[in-house]
Amino acid sequence: MVEAGDARSVTAALIVIGDEVLSGRTKDKNIGHIAERLTDVGIDLREVRVVADVEEDIVAAVNALRARFDYVFTTGGIGPTHDDITADAIANAFGVSIDVDPRARAMLLEYIAEKDLNEARLRMARIPAGASLVVNEVSKAPGFRIGNVIVMAGVPRIMQSMLEAVLPELRKGRPMLSRTILAEAKEGDIAAPLRKIAETYPDAIIGSYPFRDEVDGRYKTNLVVRAREPETLAAAGDAVARMVEDNAGG
């Protein structure tokens, strides 16, 4: 893959938390969704880390990434079981206390009867001091936001609800525009001219994504041009399209 350009905007990182993801027992379905939604609103997802259910590892990842990016999102580890340690790790990372939050407890009672609100379920109402809550319209147990860190559930449907709840509150950049050009050529055959185009248009991001066509069995490449300025997208996209035509003609 060829990547060129650096059209910075508001930036973000994502930490996926959970032994089950690292072991392969759970196939992550959140990264792609989060990446798409952030791109839609002009937030650039720049890094994704997968971290085990080890508090010091979560703390280290959170502190490293929150210092480098405008926002850090986390998924996983805020349920009712003993290995759901994300909230404690975030409190540790920020150096604040953590306890049952009356606001979060009230939210749980919208979904769980008082008699069923046992010690395990009450863990989902433990929120670091100073954090604001992120609404969960699916099962009511909230996520939370502290500083530039947004903590969400790992269950995809719940995570999506939380993400939509928090997105309106975030600072956003200009959405990235994109154009895709199909090259009926192998990636290696067009890498050199593609690099020249990328150097000519440094404000565009140009990616090449090879695949094998299931219909004719031939190797082809999707060329994706991205830019925030329509004029830049048009110029770089047209240059790529001309290169593809020239290559086909040759």
Side-chain angles (χ1 to χ4, degrees):
M1 182 179 74
V2 176
E3 291 284 358
D6 184 22
R8 290 187 64 87
S9 178
V10 181
T11 60
L14 169 62
I15 304 173
V16 178
I17 299 168
D19 292 340
E20 67 278 8
V21 177
L22 288 168
S23 70
R25 289 191 300 271
T26 296
K27 313 302 181 187
D28 182 85
K29 297 180 180 178
N30 292 327
I31 295 174
H33 181 87
I34 292 170
E36 287 182 1
R37 288 298 292 125
L38 294 184
T39 297
D40 288 343
V41 300
I43 298 176
D44 293 345
L45 182 62
R46 291 300 182 89
E47 186 170 334
V48 178
R49 295 191 188 186
V50 183
V51 181
D53 294 312
V54 177
E55 184 166 338
E56 55 264 37
D57 292 349
I58 299 171
V59 170
V62 168
N63 281 337
L65 294 176
R66 72 187 178 99
R68 292 175 51 207
F69 299 100
D70 295 307
Y71 297 110
V72 176
F73 296 84
T74 77
T75 61
I78 58 172
T81 61
H82 70 282
D83 58 348
D84 287 312
I85 61 171
T86 297
D88 292 273
I90 300 297
N92 187 349
F94 279 85
V96 299
S97 61
I98 182 170
D99 204 344
V100 172
D101 188 302
R103 302 168 300 169
R105 188 179 189 278
M107 288 180 176
L108 288 179
L109 289 175
E110 296 177 26
Y111 190 78
I112 302 170
E114 179 87 46
K115 64 181 179 64
D116 295 324
L117 193 57
N118 57 24
E119 183 178 350
R121 294 190 176 100
L122 204 54
R123 284 177 56 82
M124 297 186 289
R126 297 176 70 251
I127 306 294
S132 58
L133 301 186
V134 176
V135 174
N136 163 14
E137 294 292 354
V138 177
S139 61
K140 298 303 178 180
F144 60 88
R145 176 183 175 185
I146 180 168
N148 62 340
V149 178
I150 298 102
V151 178
M152 304 183 294
V155 177
R157 185 171 170 230
I158 298 175
M159 182 283 298
Q160 291 169 21
S161 173
M162 291 179 174
L163 183 62
E164 294 308 314
V166 78
L167 279 180
E169 303 173 3
L170 305 183
R171 183 166 61 88
K172 303 171 183 66
R174 299 176 60 187
M176 190 74 75
L177 307 173
S178 69
R179 175 179 171 184
T180 300
I181 298 107
L182 172 64
E184 299 203 16
K186 296 179 181 178
E187 187 179 40
D189 293 335
I190 56 176
L194 192 63
R195 178 173 296 279
K196 291 181 180 178
I197 295 172
E199 292 170 351
T200 302
Y201 299 96
D203 291 333
I205 302 171
I206 303 174
S208 64
Y209 306 92
F211 66 97
R212 186 173 184 177
D213 194 312
E214 295 181 359
V215 176
D216 61 20
R218 295 175 57 196
Y219 289 98
K220 303 177 182 180
T221 307
N222 277 322
L223 303 174
V224 180
V225 182
R226 295 184 293 157
R228 287 195 164 83
E229 295 292 343
E231 298 80 5
T232 301
L233 181 69
D238 288 348
V240 170
R242 287 193 299 270
M243 180 274 291
V244 168
E245 291 178 3
D246 292 344
N247 183 79

